[in-house]
Amino acid sequence: MRIVKVGLASDHAGFKLKQFVISYCKAHGYPFKDYGTFSEESCDYSDFGHALAHGLECGEVYPGVAICGSGEGISMTLNKHQTIRAGLCWIPQIAHLIRQHNDANVLVMPGRFIDNGMAEKILDEFFATEFEGGRHKARIDKIPVGK
């Protein structure tokens, strides 16, 4: 995967895991931009999911990593944007498939359900896997509404 700058977003429930992702990015030499949240104070995942999506849409960042408690809310928010393909992962095999088959541009993790060790394995797989193209490209082309 070609990394421009990793875009990060979380809500309060994903904040601790996002801090781990920041340390992971630093350790691997990946530049990043943090769209928030910046504490464990209660907040709305949608605010930060939309900010990350806009960063991806304008080319400021690629790819993205997003985290909320279950991963579902921020994933739903991100996927409202036509060019975003956010995939929820809790094991490395899913991270592999969302890149290989779906050309996911955002990795979403459930902050309340995985630890740093599992997150590291998921991140490794997501960043290492290339999109396969072929028959999968035609399927991806059918995702946006109105095309």
Side-chain angles (χ1 to χ4, degrees):
M1 170 186 291
R2 177 187 58 84
I3 296 173
V4 173
K5 184 184 288 187
V6 180
L8 305 174
S10 76
D11 70 354
H12 56 283
F15 178 75
K16 281 186 182 176
L17 189 59
K18 186 180 68 166
Q19 295 308 110
F20 171 76
V21 175
I22 288 171
S23 67
Y24 175 96
C25 287
K26 289 177 180 177
H28 288 81
Y30 298 150
F32 64 91
K33 177 174 173 93
D34 188 349
Y35 291 93
T37 192
F38 301 104
S39 75
E40 292 183 82
E41 185 176 331
S42 183
C43 62
D44 299 329
Y45 54 78
S46 52
D47 295 336
F48 307 104
H50 287 306
L52 172 57
H54 291 304
L56 285 155
E57 290 167 333
C58 75
E60 182 176 53
V61 296
Y62 178 88
V65 176
I67 308 162
C68 71
S70 68
E72 293 289 0
I74 204 161
S75 181
M76 290 175 190
T77 299
L78 287 156
N79 282 317
K80 292 294 182 188
H81 294 259
Q82 290 291 306
T83 62
I84 303 301
R85 290 177 307 283
L88 175 58
C89 300
W90 55 94
I91 57 173
Q93 295 87 337
I94 296 172
H96 183 87
L97 288 172
I98 68 166
R99 284 290 307 134
Q100 184 181 46
H101 291 183
N102 309 119
D103 197 19
N105 52 13
V106 182
L107 165 66
V108 180
M109 293 187 285
R112 289 187 172 135
F113 296 94
I114 61 171
D115 62 18
N116 291 352
M118 182 57 71
E120 182 173 17
K121 292 174 186 174
I122 292 168
L123 289 159
D124 287 345
E125 195 65 34
F126 183 76
F127 290 135
T129 305
E130 296 296 330
F131 176 51
E132 192 173 88
R135 70 186 190 278
H136 303 294
K137 174 75 170 91
R139 294 171 182 158
I140 289 167
D141 289 344
K142 292 179 180 181
I143 293 174
V145 176
K147 286 196 170 188

